[in-house]
Amino acid sequence: MELGNLQNLEFLSLYHNKFKGNVPSTFKNLTQLEILQLGRNHFSGYFPEQLCGLKHLEHLSLHDNKFEGELPEELGELSNLEELIITNNKFTGYLPSSLGKLNKLSTLMLKKNHFNQEYYSFTDHMPKGYLAIETGTVVTDNN
C-alpha cells in the first residue's frame, strides 16, 4: 500500500531516516493529516507545494533536509498551522507575506537557511505584527 492512499491518516512521522529526493506528490492525498514530521532526512528540491493543500495540518516539520528555493505564497493557506519548523535547509528569498494570515501559528523556526534576511525563530508565542503585510517588512534579528 502506498502512503498517499491512506486518506484518513492524521499523524505521519518519517523523522530521522535516509529518505532522499522529492517529497512524493501523493502526499497531497493525505487530506486528514494534522502532523507531518519529515525532519532529519535527505529530502531535496523545492518546498513541497502539495503540502499547502493539507487544510487540517497543524504541525509541519521539514528541518535538517536539503530543500532549496523560496517558500511558496500558498503556505498562507494552511490556516490551522500552529508549528512550522524549516531550520537547516537551503531556502532562499524572503518570507512570503501570506505567513501573516496564519493566526494559529505559535512556533516558527527558520534558522540556518539562506534567506535574504536573518529572521527570529519563535516558540510558544508569536509577537503581534511579526509580519507586517502592508509594508512587507518582517521582524529580524536586528530589531
Side-chain angles (χ1 to χ4, degrees):
M1 176 175 282
E2 190 171 307
L3 276 175
N5 292 331
L6 302 174
Q7 296 176 351
N8 293 320
L9 192 67
E10 295 177 2
F11 178 92
L12 179 59
S13 180
L14 300 175
Y15 178 79
H16 203 263
N17 287 284
K18 295 181 182 178
F19 294 115
K20 55 180 149 178
N22 295 325
V23 172
S25 62
T26 57
F27 275 33
K28 69 180 178 223
N29 299 331
L30 303 175
T31 56
Q32 299 304 309
L33 206 58
E34 296 175 4
I35 299 172
L36 180 58
Q37 298 174 337
L38 300 178
R40 299 204 63 191
N41 281 291
H42 302 283
F43 285 115
S44 58
Y46 296 112
F47 184 94
E49 287 191 43
Q50 65 270 29
L51 302 181
C52 295
L54 303 178
K55 303 301 182 199
H56 294 282
L57 204 58
E58 297 173 1
H59 302 274
L60 177 58
S61 178
L62 302 176
H63 67 89
D64 296 306
N65 278 290
K66 298 177 182 182
F67 292 111
E68 61 184 322
E70 296 185 10
L71 297 176
E73 280 291 326
E74 290 80 8
L75 262 176
E77 296 173 17
L78 294 174
S79 59
N80 287 307
L81 202 61
E82 299 172 9
E83 178 179 89
L84 177 61
I85 302 174
I86 58 170
T87 54
N88 203 24
N89 279 287
K90 298 176 183 176
F91 290 117
T92 58
Y94 294 96
L95 294 181
S97 60
S98 64
L99 286 182
K101 296 191 294 185
L102 300 178
N103 297 327
K104 295 181 180 181
L105 196 62
S106 62
T107 299
L108 176 63
M109 300 181 77
L110 305 164
K111 295 287 188 181
K112 296 185 180 177
N113 278 290
H114 301 289
F115 290 117
N116 291 352
Q117 290 182 289
E118 285 294 317
Y119 297 107
Y120 277 121
S121 289
F122 299 102
T123 56
D124 299 325
H125 176 69
M126 288 298 277
K128 285 197 181 292
Y130 74 96
L131 187 62
I133 297 173
E134 312 81 48
T135 62
T137 61
V138 294
V139 175
T140 68
D141 285 339
N142 299 323
N143 289 347

